[in-house]
Short mmCIF file of all heavy atoms in Angstrom, two decimals:
data_model
loop_
_atom_site.label_atom_id
_atom_site.label_comp_id
_atom_site.label_asym_id
_atom_site.label_seq_id
_atom_site.Cartn_x
_atom_site.Cartn_y
_atom_site.Cartn_z
N LEU P 35 -18.56 -9.45 15.28
CA LEU P 35 -17.43 -8.52 15.39
C LEU P 35 -16.27 -9.13 16.14
O LEU P 35 -15.08 -9.04 15.76
CB LEU P 35 -17.84 -7.24 15.98
CG LEU P 35 -16.92 -6.07 15.95
CD1 LEU P 35 -16.47 -5.78 14.53
CD2 LEU P 35 -17.52 -4.80 16.59
N ASP P 39 -12.64 -10.00 14.61
CA ASP P 39 -11.39 -9.46 15.22
C ASP P 39 -10.45 -10.58 15.55
O ASP P 39 -9.22 -10.46 15.35
CB ASP P 39 -11.79 -8.77 16.60
CG ASP P 39 -12.13 -7.29 16.34
OD1 ASP P 39 -11.75 -6.70 15.34
OD2 ASP P 39 -12.88 -6.79 17.16
N LEU P 51 -10.66 -6.58 7.48
CA LEU P 51 -10.87 -5.16 7.99
C LEU P 51 -12.16 -4.56 7.39
O LEU P 51 -12.81 -3.86 8.04
CB LEU P 51 -9.62 -4.26 7.62
CG LEU P 51 -8.44 -4.36 8.59
CD1 LEU P 51 -7.40 -3.43 8.16
CD2 LEU P 51 -8.90 -4.09 9.97
N ILE P 54 -15.04 -6.01 9.21
CA ILE P 54 -15.11 -5.39 10.52
C ILE P 54 -15.67 -4.00 10.43
O ILE P 54 -16.59 -3.61 11.24
CB ILE P 54 -13.74 -5.36 11.26
CG1 ILE P 54 -13.28 -6.84 11.60
CG2 ILE P 54 -13.74 -4.52 12.46
CD1 ILE P 54 -11.90 -6.93 12.02
N GLY P 55 -15.32 -3.30 9.43
CA GLY P 55 -15.78 -1.88 9.19
C GLY P 55 -17.27 -1.86 8.87
O GLY P 55 -17.91 -0.93 9.20
N LEU P 57 -19.44 -3.89 10.23
CA LEU P 57 -20.20 -4.09 11.46
C LEU P 57 -19.95 -2.95 12.49
O LEU P 57 -20.83 -2.66 13.31
CB LEU P 57 -19.78 -5.40 12.12
CG LEU P 57 -20.27 -6.63 11.45
CD1 LEU P 57 -19.72 -7.89 12.06
CD2 LEU P 57 -21.80 -6.71 11.45
N ASP P 58 -18.75 -2.35 12.42
CA ASP P 58 -18.41 -1.27 13.33
C ASP P 58 -18.27 -0.01 12.52
O ASP P 58 -17.13 0.26 11.97
CB ASP P 58 -17.15 -1.56 14.13
CG ASP P 58 -16.70 -0.49 15.07
OD1 ASP P 58 -17.53 0.48 15.28
OD2 ASP P 58 -15.61 -0.59 15.64
N SER P 59 -19.26 0.83 12.37
CA SER P 59 -19.24 1.91 11.45
C SER P 59 -18.61 3.21 11.97
O SER P 59 -18.69 4.24 11.38
CB SER P 59 -20.65 2.18 10.97
OG SER P 59 -21.45 2.51 12.08
N ASP P 60 -17.99 3.08 13.22
CA ASP P 60 -17.26 4.27 13.71
C ASP P 60 -16.08 4.61 12.89
O ASP P 60 -15.10 3.87 12.83
CB ASP P 60 -16.92 4.04 15.20
CG ASP P 60 -16.21 5.24 15.84
OD1 ASP P 60 -15.94 6.23 15.18
OD2 ASP P 60 -15.97 5.13 17.08
N ALA P 61 -16.15 5.77 12.21
CA ALA P 61 -15.04 6.13 11.26
C ALA P 61 -13.74 6.24 11.93
O ALA P 61 -12.67 5.94 11.34
CB ALA P 61 -15.43 7.39 10.53
N ARG P 62 -13.72 6.80 13.10
CA ARG P 62 -12.43 7.00 13.89
C ARG P 62 -11.75 5.60 14.12
O ARG P 62 -10.58 5.50 13.92
CB ARG P 62 -12.70 7.69 15.21
CG ARG P 62 -11.46 8.03 16.00
CD ARG P 62 -11.77 8.63 17.40
NE ARG P 62 -12.70 7.89 18.16
CZ ARG P 62 -12.38 6.74 18.87
NH1 ARG P 62 -11.17 6.31 18.88
NH2 ARG P 62 -13.32 6.09 19.57
N ARG P 63 -12.54 4.64 14.56
CA ARG P 63 -12.01 3.27 14.86
C ARG P 63 -11.52 2.67 13.55
O ARG P 63 -10.51 1.97 13.49
CB ARG P 63 -13.00 2.41 15.61
CG ARG P 63 -13.11 2.78 17.06
CD ARG P 63 -13.74 1.71 17.93
NE ARG P 63 -15.11 1.47 17.43
CZ ARG P 63 -16.19 1.98 18.03
NH1 ARG P 63 -16.13 2.68 19.06
NH2 ARG P 63 -17.41 1.69 17.56
N GLN P 64 -12.29 2.82 12.48
CA GLN P 64 -11.93 2.34 11.17
C GLN P 64 -10.56 2.85 10.79
O GLN P 64 -9.69 2.11 10.33
CB GLN P 64 -12.96 2.62 10.16
CG GLN P 64 -14.18 1.75 10.18
CD GLN P 64 -15.18 2.15 9.11
OE1 GLN P 64 -15.24 3.29 8.67
NE2 GLN P 64 -15.98 1.20 8.64
N ARG P 65 -10.39 4.15 10.90
CA ARG P 65 -9.12 4.79 10.54
C ARG P 65 -7.97 4.24 11.37
O ARG P 65 -6.92 4.01 10.92
CB ARG P 65 -9.18 6.28 10.61
CG ARG P 65 -9.90 6.89 9.45
CD ARG P 65 -10.14 8.37 9.56
NE ARG P 65 -8.94 9.16 9.61
CZ ARG P 65 -8.91 10.46 9.46
NH1 ARG P 65 -9.98 11.09 9.15
NH2 ARG P 65 -7.71 11.11 9.56
N GLU P 66 -8.26 4.11 12.69
CA GLU P 66 -7.17 3.55 13.60
C GLU P 66 -6.72 2.13 13.20
O GLU P 66 -5.61 1.83 13.16
CB GLU P 66 -7.67 3.59 15.04
CG GLU P 66 -7.78 4.93 15.66
CD GLU P 66 -8.39 4.86 17.02
OE1 GLU P 66 -8.64 3.81 17.58
OE2 GLU P 66 -8.60 5.98 17.63
N ARG P 67 -7.74 1.28 12.95
CA ARG P 67 -7.44 -0.11 12.55
C ARG P 67 -6.64 -0.07 11.19
O ARG P 67 -5.72 -0.88 11.04
CB ARG P 67 -8.77 -0.87 12.40
CG ARG P 67 -9.33 -1.38 13.70
CD ARG P 67 -10.44 -2.44 13.48
NE ARG P 67 -11.56 -1.88 12.81
CZ ARG P 67 -12.62 -1.34 13.56
NH1 ARG P 67 -12.62 -1.38 14.80
NH2 ARG P 67 -13.68 -0.89 12.86
N LEU P 68 -7.11 0.69 10.30
CA LEU P 68 -6.43 0.79 8.97
C LEU P 68 -5.02 1.28 9.10
O LEU P 68 -4.12 0.82 8.40
CB LEU P 68 -7.31 1.54 7.96
CG LEU P 68 -7.04 1.30 6.48
CD1 LEU P 68 -6.98 -0.13 6.16
CD2 LEU P 68 -8.10 2.04 5.74
N THR P 69 -4.82 2.33 9.88
CA THR P 69 -3.53 2.86 10.12
C THR P 69 -2.62 1.85 10.74
O THR P 69 -1.43 1.70 10.28
CB THR P 69 -3.58 4.14 10.99
OG1 THR P 69 -4.44 5.11 10.39
CG2 THR P 69 -2.22 4.80 11.18
N LEU P 70 -3.04 1.13 11.73
CA LEU P 70 -2.25 0.07 12.32
C LEU P 70 -1.92 -1.04 11.32
O LEU P 70 -0.76 -1.54 11.21
CB LEU P 70 -2.93 -0.51 13.59
CG LEU P 70 -3.06 0.42 14.77
CD1 LEU P 70 -3.90 -0.19 15.84
CD2 LEU P 70 -1.67 0.69 15.29
N HIS P 71 -2.88 -1.42 10.55
CA HIS P 71 -2.62 -2.45 9.51
C HIS P 71 -1.64 -1.97 8.49
O HIS P 71 -0.74 -2.74 8.14
CB HIS P 71 -3.98 -2.82 8.82
CG HIS P 71 -3.79 -3.77 7.68
ND1 HIS P 71 -3.79 -5.16 7.99
CD2 HIS P 71 -3.58 -3.65 6.33
CE1 HIS P 71 -3.63 -5.80 6.88
NE2 HIS P 71 -3.51 -4.87 5.89
N LEU P 84 -7.18 4.04 3.20
CA LEU P 84 -7.01 5.08 4.27
C LEU P 84 -7.19 6.47 3.66
O LEU P 84 -7.78 7.39 4.34
CB LEU P 84 -5.65 4.95 4.94
CG LEU P 84 -5.36 5.88 6.11
CD1 LEU P 84 -6.40 5.73 7.13
CD2 LEU P 84 -3.96 5.57 6.69
N LEU P 87 -10.90 7.08 3.37
CA LEU P 87 -11.51 7.41 4.69
C LEU P 87 -11.11 8.78 5.15
O LEU P 87 -11.94 9.49 5.76
CB LEU P 87 -11.03 6.41 5.69
CG LEU P 87 -11.67 5.07 5.68
CD1 LEU P 87 -11.13 4.14 6.73
CD2 LEU P 87 -13.21 5.19 5.90
N GLU P 100 -0.91 8.52 10.21
CA GLU P 100 -1.65 7.99 9.03
C GLU P 100 -0.82 8.38 7.81
O GLU P 100 -0.68 7.63 6.87
CB GLU P 100 -3.03 8.65 9.00
CG GLU P 100 -3.98 8.15 10.06
CD GLU P 100 -5.27 8.96 10.17
OE1 GLU P 100 -5.23 10.24 9.92
OE2 GLU P 100 -6.27 8.36 10.55
#
Side-chain angles (χ1 to χ4, degrees):
L35 190 56
D39 275 334
L51 275 184
I54 291 168
L57 289 176
D58 181 8
S59 58
D60 183 351
R62 183 185 53 78
R63 283 195 300 262
Q64 283 179 330
R65 282 175 60 165
E66 286 175 8
R67 280 192 294 269
L68 199 49
T69 301
L70 291 173
H71 178 84
L84 185 56
L87 284 176
E100 294 169 327

